[in-house]
Amino acid sequence: MKHVLQAMMTTEAPSEFNHLETLPTAELLAGMNQLDQTVPQTVAKALPQIEQLVEATVARLREGGRLFYIGAGTSGRLGVVDASECPPTFGVPAEMVVGIMAGGDGAIRVAVEGAEDDAEQAWKDLQAHNIGPKDVLVGIAASGRTPYVIGGLQRARAAGLATGCVVCNAGSAVAAAAQFPVEVVTGPEFITGSTRLKAGSAQKMALNMLTTATFIRLGYVRGNKMVDMKLSNVKLVDRGERMLMDELGIVQAKAAALLKQHGSVRAALEAIQP
């Protein structure tokens, strides 16, 4: 069984490139770029699976649920990044999308050895958030065999949560533990086994799709604009003003006054176009 599992793990297969230490910079970059171009094609094959996960997530969040990510290493960090970007982008509460990292928040910067091997810890970490049946749990694991993620998904599924995953090998234990698995099979990496490369890019794309499509479906985008984004810096205030100028056909001074008066692009638009 061990040999069968290893054969299935194409992310661990030998790189198509060799003697990398002898190559000039231009060839290294060209090789990585060559492989990177296969990632969107691979993600495209998983779109039906991503769609199912989005639909399940939309349904739970409409009922007042939340979206949780769990993962280790690069996979866990990607979940934390995606979760942290949802509040400023869509204006949602910070607790609506939560990224949990094996080893705790400190592991975002410094690897915590062995944290991913504890199959019980993810569920313990989730308990701190009073997780319940209305919530969604998505496990992120390039290998598809991370015990922290497998254990968390199994416990969550048994407790009635909707469960999904994003993995980069076919037929994995993580996918088997999830109701809505997303399998983006990226194949061998430029450096053998370095899943921060193609696999990480594919996972980032899948997570982008999951939260972006979910919050569009939930009404947090108007037209093609982030009307609920938090106006937390000069760049975003400027973007908000330009949204109002484009939508209402007004000059910047008027847009700035409306934005200051109403506090958000959506509120300003709804005041003028109820």
Side-chain angles (χ1 to χ4, degrees):
M1 177 62 72
K2 181 178 179 181
H3 295 296
V4 172
L5 178 61
Q6 288 177 337
M8 291 167 56
M9 290 188 56
T10 56
T11 55
E12 297 292 331
S15 172
E16 300 168 11
F17 298 82
N18 205 347
H19 307 298
L20 297 180
E21 72 278 11
T22 70
L23 300 180
T25 301
E27 289 189 32
L28 292 172
L29 299 179
M32 284 188 278
N33 181 249
Q34 176 186 328
L35 289 183
D36 285 345
Q37 291 180 50
T38 68
V39 172
Q41 301 164 10
T42 305
V43 173
K45 296 176 183 177
L47 289 179
Q49 292 182 324
I50 298 172
E51 179 185 3
Q52 291 184 341
L53 180 54
V54 169
E55 293 295 340
T57 303
V58 169
R60 295 296 177 108
L61 267 59
R62 276 185 176 149
E63 296 174 355
R66 300 160 294 169
L67 170 61
F68 289 85
Y69 292 133
I70 55 171
T74 297
S75 297
R77 294 182 187 99
L78 288 169
V80 171
V81 167
D82 193 65
S84 66
E85 290 175 347
C86 288
T89 302
F90 301 108
V92 299
E95 61 272 16
M96 185 172 286
V97 185
V98 179
I100 297 176
M101 181 88 182
D105 285 352
I108 296 171
R109 292 184 178 274
V110 181
V112 176
E113 298 299 330
E116 69 177 64
D117 296 329
D118 188 340
E120 301 299 323
Q121 188 60 46
W123 187 244
K124 294 176 184 176
D125 293 342
L126 288 162
Q127 296 309 296
H129 298 271
N130 298 313
I131 200 163
K134 289 184 178 181
D135 297 323
V136 181
L137 178 64
V138 174
I140 314 168
S143 68
R145 66 178 185 181
T146 307
Y148 180 86
V149 176
I150 296 168
L153 287 172
Q154 289 174 336
R155 293 291 297 273
R157 190 168 181 177
L161 281 75
T163 55
C165 69
V166 180
V167 298
C168 296
N169 285 299
S172 69
V174 168
Q179 293 168 281
F180 304 100
V182 174
E183 297 174 301
V184 188
V185 184
T186 47
E189 296 286 359
F190 185 68
I191 298 174
T192 300
S194 182
T195 52
R196 59 181 286 271
L197 299 174
K198 283 196 304 180
S201 297
Q203 289 174 311
K204 173 61 174 165
M205 292 178 70
L207 298 179
N208 283 349
M209 291 179 176
L210 170 58
T211 46
T212 301
T214 291
F215 287 117
I216 290 173
R217 290 285 311 281
L218 291 172
Y220 288 91
V221 171
R222 176 167 167 166
N224 57 15
K225 296 178 175 62
M226 299 180 289
V227 293
D228 292 310
M229 67 179 183
K230 292 185 178 178
L231 305 173
S232 55
N233 57 48
V234 172
K235 178 190 72 175
L236 297 179
V237 170
D238 179 69
R239 181 183 296 165
E241 291 173 357
R242 286 186 282 109
M243 287 183 188
L244 293 176
M245 292 165 66
D246 179 61
E247 190 75 15
L248 301 176
I250 57 178
V251 299
Q252 187 168 9
K254 177 63 173 176
L258 282 172
L259 203 57
K260 185 175 181 179
Q261 177 184 357
H262 296 285
S264 75
V265 175
R266 179 184 295 279
L269 287 173
E270 291 178 349
I272 305 300
Q273 299 175 336

